[in-house]
Amino acid sequence: MGNISGAVAILAFAAATVTANGHGQSAPPVPDKVWHPKSEQELSRELVTHPEKKYDIDATKNYTLAELIDLAQQHNPETRVAWETAKARAASLGIARSALFPTIAAVALGATTRQAALIGEYFHRQTLGIFEPTLHVEYLVFDFGGRNGAIDAAKANLLAADLSFNDTHRRIIFQVASAYYRLLNAKGQRAAAEASLKNAQTLEEDAKNRLDNGLATKPDLLEATAARTQADYDLQATIGAEDIARGDLATSMGLPPGTQFEVQSVEELVTPTVMADSVDQAIDHAFAQRPELMQQVARVRAASASIKQARSTYFPSLYFSGDGGLARAYGQQDLLPGHYAEGEIWSVGMQLKWTLFDGARREHQIAEAQAQEKSAAANIDVLRDQIANEVWSAYTNMRTTLKQQQAAAALLTASEQSYEAAHESYDYGFRNLIDVVSAQKTLAQARSEDVFARTQLLLHVANLAFRTGDLIQTQPPKVGP
């Protein structure tokens, strides 16, 4: 009776535990209100234990693009994610290879039994206690290529993860380069706006002096003041754009967006004057270097290995197993004195296992693997078309911006000369103020377009290198994220 009561108590405790765990998390009670369960607060507290990783950067140094890329590769969390993923795939390969070796386990068996043995016309109570420490060995001797298929698939998946790691660096390099050139454009636009504001202020002072000396009218001064306030308005917009661009660059480097640092100015960079390769050469480079295209080829390998692994299940597998150890036992019959005994024990066996019927499971596994192989092969063609189009667009954009940059440089020179001539003629009384204001606005626009054209050209150079895969061909080998 006591045993029954104890069993009931255990079942009641287990039911209470399951009920308590079940009430710990559930769906929102109503559909029309936001719900904040207690587990959300627990997650918030747990998030505090994973602080954002930070590093120091010199706020007074003018960083080059190469230095910024190096910092991003070291500290951007995406590189660590890709690195750990590749390491996990390497561990998966080790798991697949472990099937080539035997498994040895230490087993300790302890048991006690009491039963009634029928001897003659009477039941005799027998008590037996046994303890067996043994070593258990299992080994798959032969399986018609199943293990090798799993190993080949793991190798291909590791290669794909390594290529994905490289592609992560390619994307981060381009992200940093893009943000860097956008920041250079924003800084250049700010400098151009400051120069335009200075010209507008000078022109306003001239108009005021002329008005005081009776050489200009009130509308002339108002026109100059309007031009100056417009230039000031444009300057404030460029200041905000520069702050945003610096925050974007900091974020791509794994830094808080408010981090302050300086970079080289666009005047310190050399812009290209000609296209290095033809578009066909650029596309060929991309086909040979783009990591995601090579990654897709690795996926075809993995699918082929999966087919090999699935086909091996049609054949028998040979297993070896064995146990060896010691046994120590205690036995007693009725109320007679008990006895201890010990001795060696072992068992060895071979098992040939051949699945004859499994409800067409193997057929479907092979069909699935074959479909995945064909899908991966078809994706190679899809990627080729996509890459070719990306390179074509990047090449065309670079060629266009190269011509635009040359035209913008010529426009800036002509606008500077036009403004100087208009201002000089205005001083001599040959031109009115409206002509000078117009020339000043044209010069401001030319300065802005020159900066934009130069930074856009550098950005499209980086974009072409990104699309062809050249960005990661000159990087030194890395041992970490």
Side-chain angles (χ1 to χ4, degrees):
M1 189 69 179
N3 291 337
I4 295 177
S5 300
V8 172
I10 292 174
L11 291 174
F13 175 76
T17 303
V18 171
T19 302
N21 291 336
H23 285 299
Q25 180 65 49
S26 61
V30 293
D32 56 342
K33 294 182 181 179
V34 177
W35 186 48
H36 297 286
K38 292 182 179 180
S39 56
E40 181 180 355
Q41 300 176 0
E42 296 174 359
L43 292 176
S44 298
R45 289 192 295 269
E46 185 177 346
L47 184 61
V48 177
T49 64
H50 300 277
E52 181 181 0
K53 295 184 181 295
K54 299 180 180 179
Y55 63 96
D56 296 328
I57 188 170
D58 190 351
T60 62
K61 179 180 177 180
N62 288 335
Y63 284 90
T64 65
L65 177 58
E67 291 171 333
L68 296 175
I69 288 174
D70 185 59
L71 290 172
Q73 288 179 292
Q74 294 180 47
H75 300 287
N76 191 300
E78 292 184 31
T79 61
R80 295 197 298 273
V81 172
W83 190 37
E84 295 299 337
T85 301
K87 289 165 65 177
R89 289 297 187 182
S92 297
L93 176 58
I95 293 172
R97 284 175 171 163
S98 68
L100 298 175
F101 301 93
T103 300
I104 302 176
V107 181
L109 171 64
T112 179
T113 59
R114 173 172 288 180
Q115 58 186 3
L118 179 62
I119 301 177
E121 58 186 31
Y122 299 101
F123 282 101
H124 297 269
R125 186 180 69 180
Q126 291 184 342
T127 304
L128 180 65
I130 188 170
F131 175 70
E132 295 182 0
T134 61
L135 289 178
H136 177 72
V137 180
E138 290 185 359
Y139 181 54
L140 175 58
V141 181
F142 193 70
D143 65 348
F144 285 92
R147 291 172 296 181
N148 290 333
I151 291 172
D152 291 341
K155 286 181 178 179
N157 288 329
L158 173 57
L159 179 57
D162 290 340
L163 291 167
S164 178
F165 172 78
N166 292 342
D167 196 46
T168 299
H169 279 274
R170 181 180 71 99
R171 288 186 289 102
I172 288 176
I173 291 171
F174 182 63
Q175 287 173 7
V176 175
S178 299
Y180 174 76
Y181 292 131
R182 287 196 297 269
L183 176 57
L184 290 187
N185 177 61
K187 287 171 64 69
Q189 296 296 339
R190 177 176 178 174
E194 289 173 344
S196 298
L197 177 59
K198 185 176 180 180
N199 288 342
Q201 290 171 340
T202 301
L203 190 59
E204 184 183 27
E205 288 295 328
D206 289 346
K208 186 181 297 184
N209 293 333
R210 283 176 171 271
L211 179 61
D212 293 340
N213 294 322
L215 300 177
T217 64
K218 185 67 174 179
D220 290 337
L221 178 59
L222 295 176
E223 183 73 24
T225 301
R228 190 263 304 164
T229 55
Q230 180 65 48
D232 189 20
Y233 175 84
D234 295 338
L235 173 60
Q236 301 310 313
T238 61
I239 293 174
E242 182 181 352
D243 291 339
I244 293 174
R246 181 174 280 102
D248 291 341
L249 179 56
T251 302
S252 68
M253 295 165 54
L255 288 167
T259 304
Q260 294 299 314
F261 57 94
E262 297 298 329
V263 298
Q264 284 183 314
S265 65
V266 67
E267 285 76 16
E268 299 178 61
L269 304 180
V270 178
T271 56
T273 57
V274 294
M275 303 289 290
D277 298 324
S278 67
V279 65
D280 291 334
Q281 291 174 321
I283 292 175
D284 290 340
H285 288 165
F287 286 163
Q289 298 174 164
R290 284 283 289 264
E292 69 269 42
L293 185 58
M294 300 301 103
Q295 186 180 4
Q296 198 61 42
V297 176
R299 290 197 178 103
V300 174
R301 286 188 185 179
S304 299
S306 297
I307 295 175
K308 177 181 178 182
Q309 184 180 8
R311 283 176 174 165
S312 69
T313 58
Y314 277 103
F315 303 96
S317 300
L318 182 62
Y319 297 86
F320 166 83
S321 64
D323 296 277
L326 298 173
R328 180 175 175 82
Y330 171 81
Q332 183 181 16
Q333 186 171 8
D334 292 330
L335 297 179
L336 299 176
H339 299 279
Y340 286 96
E342 63 180 21
E344 297 180 356
I345 59 171
W346 60 267
S347 64
V348 176
M350 300 286 288
Q351 181 186 29
L352 184 66
K353 183 179 179 180
W354 195 350
T355 302
L356 301 179
F357 180 74
D358 60 359
R361 177 186 180 89
R362 291 169 293 184
E363 287 84 347
H364 292 306
Q365 287 177 333
I366 292 177
E368 180 186 21
Q370 289 175 336
Q372 290 175 347
E373 181 186 32
K374 292 178 181 179
S375 175
N379 274 330
I380 292 178
D381 296 331
V382 172
L383 273 176
R384 279 202 182 103
D385 293 340
Q386 177 182 333
I387 289 172
N389 184 60
E390 289 177 358
V391 174
W392 174 268
S393 298
Y395 188 92
T396 303
N397 287 333
M398 179 180 171
R399 182 176 57 193
T400 302
T401 53
L402 180 60
K403 295 179 180 179
Q404 287 178 328
Q405 190 273 326
Q406 295 169 351
L411 175 62
L412 177 60
T413 301
S415 298
E416 288 174 340
Q417 294 173 351
S418 176
Y419 174 75
E420 292 297 332
H423 193 274
E424 184 177 1
S425 298
Y426 175 69
D427 290 337
Y428 287 113
F430 299 131
R431 302 283 293 273
N432 58 39
L433 184 64
I434 295 178
D435 294 334
V436 182
V437 170
S438 177
Q440 187 270 330
K441 291 181 179 179
T442 302
L443 176 58
Q445 183 67 24
R447 285 196 184 105
S448 175
E449 291 178 353
D450 178 67
V451 172
F452 180 76
R454 280 189 287 168
T455 54
Q456 281 295 107
L457 176 57
L458 293 171
L459 177 59
H460 284 298
V461 170
N463 183 48
L464 181 59
F466 171 68
R467 302 301 176 183
T468 59
D470 288 339
L471 282 182
I472 56 174
Q473 297 307 312
T474 57
Q475 296 297 313
K478 301 183 76 67
V479 296

